[in-house]
Amino acid sequence: MNPRKILVAQGGGPTAVINQSLVGVVLEARRHRGVELVYGARHGVRGIINEDLVDLTQETSHNLELVGATPAAALGSTRDKPDLAYCQEIFKVLQAHEIGQFYYIGGNDSSDTVRIVSEQAQAANYELRCIHIPKTIDNDLVGNDHTPGFPSAARFVAQAFAGANLDNAALPGVYVGVVMGRHAGFLTAASALGKKFADDGPHLIYVPERVFEIDKFLADVKATYERLGRCVIAVSEGIHDASGAPIIASLAKDLEHDAHGNVQLSGSGALADLLCEEIKAKLKIKRVRGDTFGYLQRSFIGCVSDVDQREAREVGEKAVQYAMWGGRDGSVAIQRTGTYSVDYDLLPLSAVAGKTRTMEDHFISACGTDVTDAFRLYLRPLLGSGMPDAFRLRPNPVAKVLNRG
Amino acid sequence: MNPRKILVAQGGGPTAVINQSLVGVVLEARRHRGVELVYGARHGVRGIINEDLVDLTQETSHNLELVGATPAAALGSTRDKPDLAYCQEIFKVLQAHEIGQFYYIGGNDSSDTVRIVSEQAQAANYELRCIHIPKTIDNDLVGNDHTPGFPSAARFVAQAFAGANLDNAALPGVYVGVVMGRHAGFLTAASALGKKFADDGPHLIYVPERVFEIDKFLADVKATYERLGRCVIAVSEGIHDASGAPIIASLAKDLEHDAHGNVQLSGSGALADLLCEEIKAKLKIKRVRGDTFGYLQRSFIGCVSDVDQREAREVGEKAVQYAMWGGRDGSVAIQRTGTYSVDYDLLPLSAVAGKTRTMEDHFISACGTDVTDAFRLYLRPLLGSGMPDAFRLRPNPVAKVLNRG
């Protein structure tokens, strides 16, 4: 292996902390005597095939630290999902620039790219160390306790629902908040961490790990509304019927598909609006409001978990350490070792690539619309320090004089 | 005047800091020897006519401080806009409970309620001090430099656009963010404070103070997209055509009206979706995404301006001081006295009640889709301390070897 030149890139949806992983790679690599140049590719694998590269060896440590603390992908990202031919092009460029180590920060699609490029290099007998660095707000990478980016997005969702619950208590009605997560309900379930008092919302949580039935949904909302005079609901954008068809597909006129063949679920308020209309029409409740958290939840600049920051930095650092001393390609994974502490592991690329983790059964309550205490214990330490707290007035009713109300 | 019993209530949309004003009233009133009981009405004026009152004299100072730091309305709020008959009922209950001072925290509808109740008391020769305490994220109260609640919502909007801009730079396309504000564009304009570098978004800002023309909008988006390869747009929910008809009205099937006769603009993703569809259809741009900030922007629990917190607390305190020593009814107003400092004033209720402030012309740039430096200087100190900052990598391109891209 020739570690003189290394290349790092970022793929998939931006997160609040993906730049920490980038900075972890760059600063750790620059400490190594054998490393001569650290390149970054602009806009992920697309930047590689276009030779759109930047020299990160010429960036100051100071600015790297500031960029690390900035959300979204500083190198730019891409939605391209390379096939074999695309990966061969990637490999050609890596060869031409005499790259000895390739680091790709991304989700399970990105890990699959790393796997294919790794196989190309082996087939060509070219010494290339290929390391995948985990990142996704969906928390859907197998083999990881959790993935960098998820804790900060979960912090946003928990805080958003804490506020939405207070708002809904002040002006009662039904509130629907739609949260990202196509297959995995982790981020939607994070809404439960915004709850403090027993009657706080979210009162109902719908994750894609359970079949969504509109009649059951309406009955749940009706029961909560009759009990509390209000109802706060967290819904995953990925909810689907028994056949697996997305609920949103039943109403969207022009379904947009991305390069991976997936229906576009985010960037539209359609699902929230549909559910609100159903509630108004069928339950005759007047005040029904829906919000789609959309892009706010993945790169809001003021809502970052410090635990997430640290771990995202460490997976970048560990990636370089594994590349230097691990002797094999792989995907860096986070393992929980205590309450709360973590260690890292290098999994085979094939163990992670293209696989999707969903919420484990023991995290979802039997009723299917709430999380378990096991999930609360799992998520709480990830949200980081300084989580805001909500307080309420204690009841001290005044005796009526006119006997009204 | 009999200041032995006082009553405070909260009206209109919740904000991040309205509870600070409540706590300002309660703690300041409890310091006064002549005050025997401090009552709160649950859910604003509705709680008064229903005699749904709580005794805030039996609440600990400690818990009041914690409630003060919690967003949304701790007493509950209401959308009721009392007419004369309603105000007569309010007055009957205040009389029955021998209330000597009435404090109502709210926007211009609430100030109008205070004005009518004040007139009722005078007509009945009943000694009642009536004070309106300003609150609204729309910043649309006349006679005020700004209103409590606006700075924290503006902080959310600025941070949201800072993040959305980074996200959009990482995965280029068109992004539309729809912001609250029916008549006043202040909150939408706050998006400009999320900008740092010259090519940062929001690149286009549409406020209700200017007529919205869809053809001009599409031409603006096209020009920006051709120049930068991307476009971030801030749009007020209140944008309207030359006749004053809301743009959203042209597409919404079932327009919902509130008790004030206003069309419901929030709680639906329809406007963002409509604009995105127009851009996709007319400009043939593929990646177009829209978010509606909805309720997140007014009571997000983790995004509060400390300046706003302090001022909201002070307007509550000052309200009690004016009631005790001012000798007349009125509306507390914030006046700017330095860069940055404020003082307070007690305006006649008729000077504020039912009036709507909109963005002054010198805050809107000549092109109509940006703010002026005067607006940036106006808003910056209100956002408070600890505003997160965004950094980017400096360009250090690597020479091409294969001459691709």
Side-chain angles (χ1 to χ4, degrees):
Chain A
M1 189 182 57
N2 170 16
R4 289 196 306 113
K5 286 194 194 174
I6 77 167
L7 185 141
V8 58
Q10 299 172 307
T15 77
V17 299
I18 185 172
N19 288 334
Q20 287 289 6
S21 298
L22 171 68
V23 171
V25 168
V26 177
L27 291 181
E28 180 67 11
R30 300 203 313 188
R31 293 201 310 116
H32 283 268
R33 218 170 308 164
V35 175
E36 186 182 308
L37 290 168
V38 179
Y39 288 173
R42 303 266 305 139
H43 296 289
V45 285
R46 176 153 294 273
I48 302 179
I49 59 167
N50 288 338
E51 275 192 287
D52 188 4
L53 310 180
V54 294
D55 184 358
L56 297 169
T57 334
Q58 297 186 45
E59 185 57 86
T60 66
S61 310
H62 179 70
N63 197 47
L64 283 168
E65 289 290 353
L66 294 172
V67 168
T70 301
L75 283 173
S77 190
T78 179
R79 284 292 181 193
D80 285 3
K81 184 185 178 179
D83 56 12
L84 182 61
Y86 197 121
C87 287
Q88 285 168 339
E89 295 305 306
I90 292 174
F91 179 58
K92 270 186 208 162
V93 176
L94 297 181
Q95 266 188 310
H97 285 268
E98 298 175 328
I99 301 296
Q101 296 177 0
F102 169 45
Y103 299 89
Y104 201 24
I105 312 167
N108 41 28
D109 288 340
S110 303
S111 65
D112 205 37
T113 298
V114 179
R115 180 186 62 79
I116 303 174
V117 171
S118 167
E119 288 169 6
Q120 290 294 308
Q122 285 168 45
N125 217 15
Y126 177 87
E127 278 201 88
L128 179 69
R129 185 58 70 235
C130 297
I131 306 282
H132 168 246
I133 299 170
K135 174 268 357 166
T136 168
I137 64 165
D138 292 341
N139 201 37
D140 62 354
L141 289 188
V142 300
N144 284 268
D145 178 75
H146 60 278
T147 55
F150 167 64
S152 295
R155 185 181 172 102
F156 181 92
V157 169
Q159 291 186 199
F161 272 93
N165 170 66
L166 292 166
D167 198 300
N168 181 264
L171 285 174
V174 174
Y175 177 85
V176 179
V178 173
V179 182
M180 277 184 175
R182 185 179 298 270
H183 301 295
F186 290 105
L187 197 53
T188 305
S191 62
L193 279 282
K195 253 178 109 129
K196 177 169 174 169
F197 297 97
D199 60 350
D200 275 346
H203 307 101
L204 299 167
I205 300 171
Y206 296 91
V207 293
E209 284 79 0
R210 295 290 177 266
V211 169
F212 185 88
E213 295 168 54
I214 191 79
D215 291 340
K216 172 69 165 55
F217 169 76
L218 291 170
D220 292 343
V221 175
K222 186 166 186 278
T224 305
Y225 191 78
E226 284 174 356
R227 184 164 57 89
L228 298 173
R230 66 190 192 93
C231 186
V232 175
I233 311 161
V235 174
S236 163
E237 63 179 5
I239 52 167
H240 55 81
D241 64 19
S243 76
I247 299 301
I248 195 176
S250 62
L251 86 151
K253 290 155 289 179
D254 305 299
L255 284 179
E256 186 181 325
H257 291 75
D258 66 13
H260 308 198
N262 296 322
V263 173
Q264 184 212 326
L265 299 180
S266 295
S268 152
L271 179 59
D273 289 351
L274 162 82
L275 295 173
C276 287
E277 278 163 33
E278 283 288 312
I279 294 167
K280 280 185 202 172
K282 303 281 170 59
L283 303 183
K284 311 293 178 202
I285 297 172
K286 200 172 155 45
R287 193 168 187 279
V288 184
R289 301 289 183 262
D291 281 337
T292 304
F293 290 7
Y295 291 85
L296 296 178
Q297 67 202 299
R298 79 176 183 197
S299 44
F300 193 82
I301 198 171
C303 187
V304 184
S305 158
D306 52 357
V307 169
D308 197 17
Q309 294 258 25
R310 285 197 297 271
E311 292 175 353
R313 180 66 166 262
E314 280 194 292
V315 291
E317 254 185 84
K318 286 303 298 179
V320 174
Q321 295 175 2
Y322 285 127
M324 294 294 173
W325 296 299
R328 62 186 172 90
D329 295 351
S331 176
V332 181
I334 301 181
Q335 311 296 341
R336 191 178 300 220
T337 56
T339 307
Y340 176 76
S341 71
V342 294
D343 197 357
Y344 302 92
D345 200 359
L346 188 72
L347 305 178
L349 286 164
S350 59
V352 177
K355 293 186 166 64
T356 301
R357 175 190 180 188
T358 56
M359 270 183 89
E360 289 76 11
D361 281 343
H362 71 282
F363 283 160
I364 305 172
S365 67
C367 67
T369 57
D370 199 1
V371 301
T372 60
D373 284 345
F375 182 74
R376 291 186 186 90
L377 287 169
Y378 164 77
L379 182 53
R380 186 59 196 80
L382 306 186
L383 301 180
S385 60
M387 272 291 283
D389 200 356
F391 295 84
R392 53 169 71 171
L393 296 168
R394 298 177 181 120
N396 289 296
V398 171
K400 290 176 193 281
V401 174
L402 301 174
N403 294 312
R404 287 168 174 237
Chain B
M1 188 181 58
N2 170 16
R4 288 196 306 115
K5 285 193 193 174
I6 77 166
L7 184 141
V8 59
Q10 299 172 306
T15 78
V17 299
I18 186 173
N19 289 334
Q20 287 289 6
S21 299
L22 171 69
V23 170
V25 169
V26 177
L27 291 181
E28 180 67 10
R30 300 204 313 188
R31 292 199 313 114
H32 283 269
R33 219 170 307 164
V35 175
E36 188 182 308
L37 290 168
V38 179
Y39 287 173
R42 302 266 306 137
H43 295 289
V45 287
R46 177 153 293 274
I48 303 179
I49 59 167
N50 288 337
E51 276 193 285
D52 188 5
L53 310 179
V54 294
D55 184 359
L56 296 170
T57 333
Q58 296 186 46
E59 185 57 86
T60 65
S61 310
H62 180 69
N63 197 47
L64 283 168
E65 289 291 353
L66 294 172
V67 168
T70 302
L75 283 172
S77 190
T78 179
R79 283 293 181 192
D80 285 4
K81 184 185 177 179
D83 56 11
L84 182 61
Y86 196 120
C87 286
Q88 286 169 338
E89 295 303 307
I90 292 173
F91 179 57
K92 269 187 207 163
V93 175
L94 297 180
Q95 266 187 310
H97 284 268
E98 298 173 329
I99 301 297
Q101 296 177 1
F102 170 45
Y103 299 90
Y104 201 25
I105 312 166
N108 42 26
D109 289 340
S110 303
S111 65
D112 206 38
T113 299
V114 178
R115 181 185 63 79
I116 303 174
V117 171
S118 167
E119 287 169 5
Q120 289 294 307
Q122 284 167 44
N125 217 16
Y126 176 88
E127 279 202 86
L128 179 69
R129 186 57 70 235
C130 297
I131 306 284
H132 168 245
I133 299 169
K135 173 264 5 164
T136 168
I137 65 164
D138 292 342
N139 201 36
D140 63 353
L141 289 187
V142 300
N144 285 268
D145 178 76
H146 61 279
T147 55
F150 167 65
S152 295
R155 184 181 173 102
F156 181 93
V157 169
Q159 290 186 201
F161 272 92
N165 170 66
L166 292 166
D167 197 302
N168 182 264
L171 285 174
V174 176
Y175 177 84
V176 179
V178 173
V179 181
M180 277 186 175
R182 184 180 297 272
H183 302 294
F186 290 104
L187 197 54
T188 304
S191 61
L193 279 282
K195 253 178 110 127
K196 176 169 175 168
F197 298 97
D199 60 348
D200 275 346
H203 307 102
L204 298 168
I205 300 173
Y206 296 91
V207 294
E209 284 80 358
R210 295 291 177 264
V211 169
F212 185 89
E213 295 168 55
I214 192 79
D215 290 341
K216 171 71 164 53
F217 168 77
L218 291 170
D220 292 344
V221 175
K222 186 165 184 277
T224 305
Y225 191 79
E226 283 174 357
R227 185 165 54 91
L228 298 172
R230 66 189 191 96
C231 186
V232 175
I233 311 161
V235 174
S236 163
E237 64 179 5
I239 51 166
H240 55 81
D241 65 20
S243 75
I247 300 300
I248 194 177
S250 62
L251 87 150
K253 288 154 292 179
D254 305 299
L255 284 180
E256 184 181 325
H257 291 76
D258 66 12
H260 307 199
N262 297 322
V263 173
Q264 185 212 325
L265 299 181
S266 296
S268 152
L271 180 59
D273 289 351
L274 162 82
L275 295 173
C276 287
E277 279 163 33
E278 283 288 312
I279 295 167
K280 280 185 203 173
K282 304 279 170 60
L283 302 184
K284 311 291 177 205
I285 297 173
K286 201 171 154 46
R287 193 170 187 277
V288 183
R289 301 290 184 262
D291 279 338
T292 304
F293 290 6
Y295 292 86
L296 295 179
Q297 66 201 301
R298 80 176 182 196
S299 43
F300 192 82
I301 200 171
C303 187
V304 184
S305 157
D306 52 358
V307 169
D308 196 17
Q309 294 258 23
R310 285 197 297 271
E311 292 176 352
R313 180 66 165 262
E314 279 193 293
V315 291
E317 255 186 84
K318 287 303 298 180
V320 174
Q321 295 175 0
Y322 285 128
M324 294 294 173
W325 296 298
R328 61 187 172 88
D329 295 352
S331 177
V332 180
I334 300 181
Q335 311 296 342
R336 191 179 301 220
T337 57
T339 306
Y340 176 76
S341 70
V342 295
D343 197 357
Y344 302 92
D345 199 359
L346 189 70
L347 304 178
L349 287 164
S350 59
V352 177
K355 294 185 166 63
T356 301
R357 175 190 180 188
T358 55
M359 271 184 90
E360 288 76 12
D361 280 344
H362 72 280
F363 282 160
I364 304 172
S365 68
C367 67
T369 56
D370 199 1
V371 301
T372 60
D373 285 345
F375 182 75
R376 291 187 185 89
L377 286 170
Y378 163 78
L379 183 54
R380 186 58 197 80
L382 306 185
L383 301 181
S385 60
M387 272 291 283
D389 200 355
F391 295 85
R392 53 170 70 170
L393 295 168
R394 298 179 181 118
N396 289 297
V398 171
K400 289 177 194 281
V401 174
L402 301 174
N403 294 313
R404 288 170 173 232

